[in-house]
Amino acid sequence: MERYNPQEIEKKWQKKWEEEQVYKTEADPARPKYYALEMFPYPSGNLHMGHVRNYSIGDVMARYKTMEGYNVLHPMGFDSFGMPAENAAIKHGVKPADWTYSNIENMERQQKEMGLSYDWEREVKTCDPSYYKWTQWLFELFYKRGLAYKKKASVNWCDTCGTVLANEQVIDGKCWRCDSPVEKKDLSQWFLKITDYADVLLKDLDKLKGWPERVKTMQENWIGRSEGLEFSLDCPALGTKIAAYTTRPDTVYGITFLALAAEHPLVDAICEKSGKAEEIRAFVKRVRNTSEMERTSSESEKEGINTGIVCVNPFNGKEVQIWITNYVLADYGTGAVIGVPSEDSRDWMFATKYGIPKIITLQPRDHELKLEEMTEAYTDKDGVLVNSAEFTGLDIKAAMQGIMDKAEKEGFGKRRVNFRLRDWLISRQRYWGAPIPVINCPHCGEVLVPEEDLPVLLPDDVSFEQGSLSPLASSERFVHCKCPKCGADATRETDTMDTFICSSWYYLRYTDPKNDREPFAKDKVNYWAPVDQYIGGIEHAILHLLYSRFFTKVLHDAGLVDFDEPFTNLLTQGMVLKDGSKMSKSKGNVVSPEEIIAKYGADTARLFILFAAPVDRDLEWSDQGVEGAYRFLGRVWRILLHFEQAVKTGGDAYDVSALTKEEKDLRRVLHTTIKKVTEDIRDRFMFNTAVSSVMELVNAIYTFQDKELNAGLARETARDLLLMLAPFAPHITEELWSRLFAAGSVHQQKWPSYDEEALKVDEVEIVLQINGKVRGRIMLPAGADRAAMEQAAKENARVQELTAGKTIVKVICVPKKLVNIVVKG
Ligand SMILES: [Zn+2]
Ligand SMILES: [Zn+2]
């Protein structure tokens, strides 16, 4: 018999699929659609096992849904702007475009070797002018809608990358890309006004029933909505009022100090009046050089400096010390936070450290707090107010409302909703990105580049010297232009856009990738999108997934799309580990997909990675596991070719009642497997258990290796086995399909359905017990009732022998399981 030779059959089918455009997709409003999408990769040049896992999961869904009768969109592309291309240019003198396109070519080849069902005609590359033209167009749309603006801001600066970072890109005070510490710098930068959508981005998380709770919680925390009171404290020494924000208005009678951010606008005025300007300035400078993350971390040491100036609590007229601290941030609330030591742990520590007074304003219901006995703040949100004027005696909830009412009535405060989410800083002082399409005119100010002049192309006469200016600024030809409004000499914006903008809308472009008149046609985008199943890593929970939701909502409001959430269902796959840790070059534990495919074939690589762990869990690489997957495919190959003759002569309709008992058992295993695999894929993404059921089915077929097998059943079993295995191992199933059935591609067949009748067990084994002890086993029809079970038990020779001469007290029957005869004497 011919050996299973994946190297030969995989190449053959990949070529054929491409020639015959098996995976080409067209919108067809008459058919239900399914949009399966894996997060597109950055073109680093080589696929890693994480990619293999990501794409294999998506490919199973795309192929399965196709077989279920859906019109499936399954595209692939490249998130191809970004720093590594530029670093390669700096280090090796290659052009970023050349570096990028050659990496893309290499990765496409590797993706094609995996046998993925992508419609390659829809491929999108974000660095291509035909794509970034529309990224720029969308920037202009945001600008026209008042959602893009430039302002001078204290920004996160990574010196190693030579660029600013969005808040979302600073992780534990470090750059998300290179891990260097991030500093603050004052620069004029472009922002997208994502805060305008904070409320709806939060509220609509409820719509995302098909998203992991964990991701939704991360977004909720990132958006960080709080309801509270903003009120002002009079500061006679400075002749002004200071606004403060609190989410605990019920505690205002316990305020003993006011903590200001080092960046607070009153710091200069305070220095002047305090008589210790130098000391304060030195402290402020030190604080401003520490990262935001350090300042807000619960572990970091809270520090402050007493300014010696006081303000007045408007609720009770008491004096409140003004401190400048390291833990308040300028852009959260008002940059001034009330200090209530008795009810806040941080304030307690701070007040204890610096000897600031404490006042108890909340007493628990079951015991009485005394300041001199307390060693920490009382932070339970339950109790009765004390020392709080007319609010004394109320519970927290009533006091909150009453206190906010009072502030509003007396005109020194207002209810306010506050968000942790900041506007999205999108300008980068880097070359390899989409240029921001704005011209600065000495007369007209900021002017958008007219639509007909898009795209603003990247210049290639640039120098890659690092600094706070983008390399684009070094191209005279790029910088100097005429104002589109008045014709005067003007200059171009030289910053490029954060690449997360490019990836915030690529899934929409796939629906109409070659459109050169608009980013996508309305009918096409509304037919295909939103994405039905999105698959990617958990690391994108906030950045990419939040930005994409924001983009979709803006496009919805602008009337470009009919839906307002981009991804209906989200699957976050686990990592691929080796020896317990993530594969990485530095750990030397990388297994290259190319090598595995060269040795065993893509079907083995795919099958192993889908079988080795549930999709959302981490997967431990195992060489034996890969060997096992390869051996299994070899078994499938041999047994189906062994029955080739029977499969070819068997009819599609055959007499099931003529099957032997063993054959009926095989047919039951087949139909049970179809039911299980269908439900595992469709309802649970349990690809690992689906594969293991298919393996059991193959074991069941092997029991006929040396026996006669009914040709009709052989045909039915071979057909359904190939159909079920096709989404997992597309090449071997296609090859066997062409040899055994020869009717079109296995990937264009209908998914098998199961026969309820076939699931029923004909005969079951019944355990015979006497006084609870097992004394024998008999086979009975599965439908046998209690009377029939009892009769059969009593007729059993061994039972008769053991009960002879005794009195039967009781017979207990458990249908399909056992008969227990209770005897006496
Ligand atoms: Zn960096
Ligand atoms: Zn002008």
Side-chain angles (χ1 to χ4, degrees):
M1 189 192 292
E2 209 184 315
R3 202 172 57 88
Y4 169 45
N5 182 349
Q7 284 75 14
E8 193 183 295
I9 62 176
E10 294 189 354
K11 287 225 165 50
K12 175 178 111 185
W13 286 110
Q14 286 160 14
K15 192 160 162 269
K16 201 149 185 199
W17 291 332
E18 195 161 341
E19 279 165 11
E20 293 177 3
Q21 299 191 311
V22 171
Y23 307 119
K24 190 173 158 57
T25 337
E26 294 290 355
D28 178 2
R31 289 176 63 199
K33 66 90 186 182
Y34 186 85
Y35 187 174
L37 185 65
E38 299 108 60
M39 289 181 184
F40 67 165
Y42 178 78
S44 56
N46 282 299
L47 290 195
H48 54 65
M49 281 300 170
H51 293 127
V52 173
R53 191 173 194 194
N54 187 213
Y55 307 153
S56 299
I57 296 167
D59 204 44
V60 169
M61 286 317 288
R63 290 181 185 277
Y64 165 74
K65 287 288 176 180
T66 303
M67 294 171 83
E68 286 269 85
Y70 288 89
N71 189 18
V72 171
L73 177 60
H74 188 215
M76 183 39 71
F78 290 92
D79 190 9
S80 53
F81 268 139
M83 292 227 340
E86 202 163 335
N87 292 340
I90 295 164
K91 264 198 199 148
H92 311 297
V94 283
K95 280 189 179 156
D98 295 347
W99 185 89
T100 304
Y101 282 100
S102 98
N103 280 351
I104 288 178
E105 215 172 282
N106 205 28
M107 283 175 87
E108 273 172 4
R109 182 182 49 75
Q110 294 171 17
Q111 286 168 327
K112 286 178 181 170
E113 281 171 4
M114 279 186 67
L116 301 160
S117 62
Y118 299 135
D119 178 356
W120 283 104
E121 283 186 32
R122 292 180 181 267
E123 186 179 13
V124 150
K125 298 166 190 153
T126 59
C127 69
D128 200 280
S130 67
Y131 182 85
Y132 74 69
K133 169 180 179 171
W134 300 109
T135 305
Q136 293 173 338
W137 186 90
L138 288 169
F139 171 89
E140 298 197 345
L141 176 87
F142 275 63
Y143 186 94
K144 289 171 195 161
R145 298 181 69 80
L147 294 169
Y149 65 92
K150 194 173 192 180
K151 80 164 186 204
K152 199 161 181 95
S154 170
V155 298
N156 308 303
W157 176 264
C158 174
D159 222 26
T160 311
C161 296
T163 191
V164 302
L165 302 168
N167 286 335
E168 290 84 349
Q169 292 166 335
V170 181
I171 294 151
D172 295 335
K174 289 179 187 151
C175 171
W176 71 291
R177 178 176 284 289
C178 73
D179 250 5
S180 311
V182 171
E183 344 161 12
K184 286 281 174 184
K185 237 184 188 180
D186 286 322
L187 288 172
S188 206
Q189 299 289 322
W190 284 93
F191 291 84
L192 292 191
K193 221 171 176 182
I194 191 171
T195 52
D196 269 15
Y197 284 75
D199 237 337
V200 67
L201 285 169
L202 181 70
K203 188 170 64 66
D204 285 357
L205 285 173
D206 288 344
K207 290 186 186 171
L208 303 175
K209 306 274 183 256
W211 279 41
E213 282 307 318
R214 181 173 163 213
V215 174
K216 289 194 273 185
T217 305
M218 285 166 83
Q219 291 211 356
E220 187 181 331
N221 292 341
W222 186 261
I223 295 167
R225 183 184 195 272
S226 61
E227 258 173 356
L229 177 70
E230 184 174 318
F231 65 103
S232 47
L233 299 89
D234 215 3
C235 183
L238 300 178
T240 184
K241 290 177 192 304
I242 304 177
Y245 175 76
T246 176
T247 56
R248 287 289 305 274
D250 57 298
T251 65
V252 292
Y253 287 87
I255 301 173
T256 55
F257 66 97
L258 187 69
L260 299 190
E263 296 84 357
H264 197 280
L266 284 176
V267 165
D268 279 337
I270 288 170
C271 283
E272 235 171 81
K273 291 275 186 244
S274 66
K276 47 177 173 180
E278 244 171 80
E279 205 186 323
I280 295 177
R281 285 214 170 89
F283 177 77
V284 163
K285 193 173 168 206
R286 187 157 61 80
V287 170
R288 293 197 60 178
N289 277 333
T290 34
S291 74
E292 199 164 293
M293 196 57 70
E294 253 173 86
R295 287 168 67 179
T296 51
S297 148
S298 54
E299 273 108 69
S300 68
E301 179 74 13
K302 304 297 176 252
E303 290 181 83
I305 181 164
N306 189 352
T307 63
I309 294 171
V310 295
C311 55
V312 180
N313 182 345
F315 289 94
N316 57 10
K318 283 195 176 144
E319 280 192 349
V320 172
Q321 302 177 4
I322 298 178
W323 286 68
I324 295 173
T325 67
N326 68 344
Y327 63 83
V328 175
L329 297 179
D331 55 2
Y332 181 79
T334 60
V337 172
I338 56 171
V340 187
S342 62
E343 287 173 52
D344 181 281
S345 306
R346 182 187 62 193
D347 295 349
W348 177 277
M349 284 192 287
F350 191 82
T352 306
K353 179 173 176 179
Y354 292 108
I356 302 170
K358 300 167 178 145
I359 306 169
I360 293 177
T361 57
L362 186 68
Q363 284 288 0
R365 294 171 198 275
D366 53 355
H367 64 283
E368 194 189 340
L369 296 172
K370 293 196 178 95
L371 267 181
E372 57 276 19
E373 292 167 3
M374 285 170 75
T375 54
E376 55 182 8
Y378 175 67
T379 53
D380 285 5
K381 283 180 187 149
D382 186 42
V384 177
L385 266 72
V386 295
N387 296 327
S388 299
E390 65 264 40
F391 306 103
T392 295
L394 295 183
D395 65 15
I396 292 185
K397 219 172 143 199
M400 271 209 202
Q401 296 311 320
I403 286 170
M404 291 196 285
D405 286 344
K406 178 184 169 91
E408 288 186 339
K409 209 169 83 202
E410 294 181 18
F412 60 79
K414 245 193 161 125
R415 285 176 165 84
R416 214 183 90 178
V417 171
N418 198 35
F419 289 94
R420 180 173 177 265
L421 184 70
R422 302 275 78 100
D423 277 341
W424 175 12
L425 194 159
I426 60 146
S427 38
R428 297 289 178 272
Q429 292 67 50
R430 302 297 307 199
Y431 170 76
W432 195 231
I436 294 174
V438 170
I439 289 167
N440 296 305
C441 169
H443 315 293
C444 315
E446 278 166 21
V447 184
L448 287 179
V449 172
E451 204 180 313
E452 61 271 20
D453 294 344
L454 297 179
V456 175
L457 289 170
L458 278 170
D460 45 21
D461 54 338
V462 296
S463 128
F464 289 107
E465 290 297 308
Q466 292 191 32
S468 57
L469 277 183
S470 157
L472 269 58
S474 68
S475 167
E476 294 286 319
R477 197 171 50 83
F478 177 83
V479 172
H480 298 289
C481 62
K482 298 287 178 201
C483 169
K485 263 193 192 158
C486 72
D489 285 340
T491 56
R492 279 185 201 282
E493 201 48 68
T494 56
D495 286 354
T496 52
M497 288 184 238
D498 183 0
T499 58
F500 277 95
I501 292 196
C502 311
S503 57
S504 290
W505 74 282
Y506 79 107
Y507 48 91
L508 303 173
R509 182 69 175 173
Y510 280 140
T511 67
D512 192 10
K514 296 194 173 124
N515 197 330
D516 57 4
R517 299 170 317 279
E518 52 194 340
F520 39 77
K522 257 185 117 171
D523 57 338
K524 288 183 178 157
V525 80
N526 288 328
Y527 171 70
W528 288 117
V531 173
D532 293 283
Q533 185 62 56
Y534 200 27
I535 305 158
I538 186 81
E539 67 274 20
H540 296 289
I542 295 170
L543 290 157
H544 165 60
L545 291 169
L546 187 65
Y547 294 152
S548 297
R549 295 183 59 221
F550 167 50
F551 256 65
T552 301
K553 291 190 181 303
V554 173
L555 299 188
H556 174 260
D557 291 352
L560 268 71
V561 300
D562 288 349
F563 46 90
D564 60 3
E565 283 291 341
F567 313 121
T568 308
N569 296 290
L570 173 69
L571 174 76
T572 48
Q573 95 249 7
M575 289 191 295
V576 182
L577 312 177
K578 181 145 194 284
D579 311 323
S581 53
K582 191 179 175 179
M583 287 188 186
S584 76
K585 270 189 200 144
S586 59
K587 288 203 185 84
N589 62 349
V590 175
V591 180
S592 132
E594 260 195 303
E595 276 170 37
I596 296 294
I597 292 173
K599 189 166 173 198
Y600 299 101
D603 284 345
T604 292
R606 296 168 52 127
L607 192 74
F608 161 72
I609 221 157
L610 293 166
F611 175 59
V615 287
D616 55 348
R617 305 274 181 77
D618 289 348
L619 177 158
E620 176 68 33
W621 183 264
S622 146
D623 293 334
Q624 294 92 316
V626 178
E627 281 283 349
Y630 182 68
R631 273 200 310 274
F632 167 71
L633 292 177
R635 267 167 76 74
V636 172
W637 177 266
R638 288 189 303 273
I639 197 70
L640 291 189
L641 291 183
H642 172 80
F643 285 115
E644 182 168 5
Q645 215 41 44
V647 171
K648 283 182 170 164
T649 52
D652 284 324
Y654 65 98
D655 183 8
V656 175
S657 67
L659 296 177
T660 65
K661 184 182 171 302
E662 284 76 25
E663 286 169 339
K664 278 187 185 160
D665 283 343
L666 173 61
R667 188 161 185 270
R668 194 181 63 248
V669 174
L670 172 65
H671 285 264
T672 313
T673 307
I674 298 173
K675 181 172 196 282
K676 173 101 169 69
V677 171
T678 305
E679 291 169 357
D680 280 351
I681 297 180
R682 186 190 59 203
D683 308 337
R684 302 188 274 266
F685 290 104
M686 295 295 287
F687 300 158
N688 56 328
T689 55
V691 172
S692 97
S693 318
V694 173
M695 287 174 171
E696 281 167 32
L697 170 62
V698 171
N699 289 342
I701 305 172
Y702 262 88
T703 60
F704 288 88
Q705 198 175 8
D706 305 316
K707 279 186 237 167
E708 199 64 20
L709 176 59
N710 176 297
L713 178 60
R715 186 176 178 81
E716 182 187 13
T717 309
R719 186 191 61 217
D720 293 352
L721 169 63
L722 288 177
L723 293 175
M724 282 188 280
L725 201 52
F728 298 90
H731 308 89
I732 184 175
T733 49
E734 187 79 313
E735 175 68 22
L736 288 168
W737 184 265
S738 79
R739 289 177 184 228
L740 300 176
F741 296 93
S745 165
V746 70
H747 303 296
Q748 291 172 331
Q749 307 300 316
K750 242 184 111 238
W751 184 254
S753 55
Y754 57 88
D755 176 2
E756 283 286 354
E757 276 305 306
L759 299 180
K760 288 185 187 153
V761 182
D762 282 358
E763 280 200 320
V764 288
E765 190 184 70
I766 303 290
V767 173
L768 300 180
Q769 296 179 339
I770 294 172
N771 289 351
K773 280 206 180 104
V774 178
R775 297 299 187 185
R777 292 164 206 275
I778 50 171
M779 296 304 291
L780 284 182
D785 62 10
R786 282 166 204 273
M789 286 173 76
E790 183 172 336
Q791 192 191 342
K794 285 177 177 166
E795 279 168 6
N796 179 273
R798 177 114 173 101
V799 170
Q800 287 184 346
E801 190 187 309
L802 290 168
T803 56
K806 295 179 181 165
T807 317
I808 293 178
V809 184
K810 201 160 83 176
V811 179
I812 302 159
C813 294
V814 182
K816 292 183 186 165
K817 287 220 165 64
L818 67 85
V819 179
N820 182 18
I821 300 173
V822 183
V823 295
K824 211 167 69 178

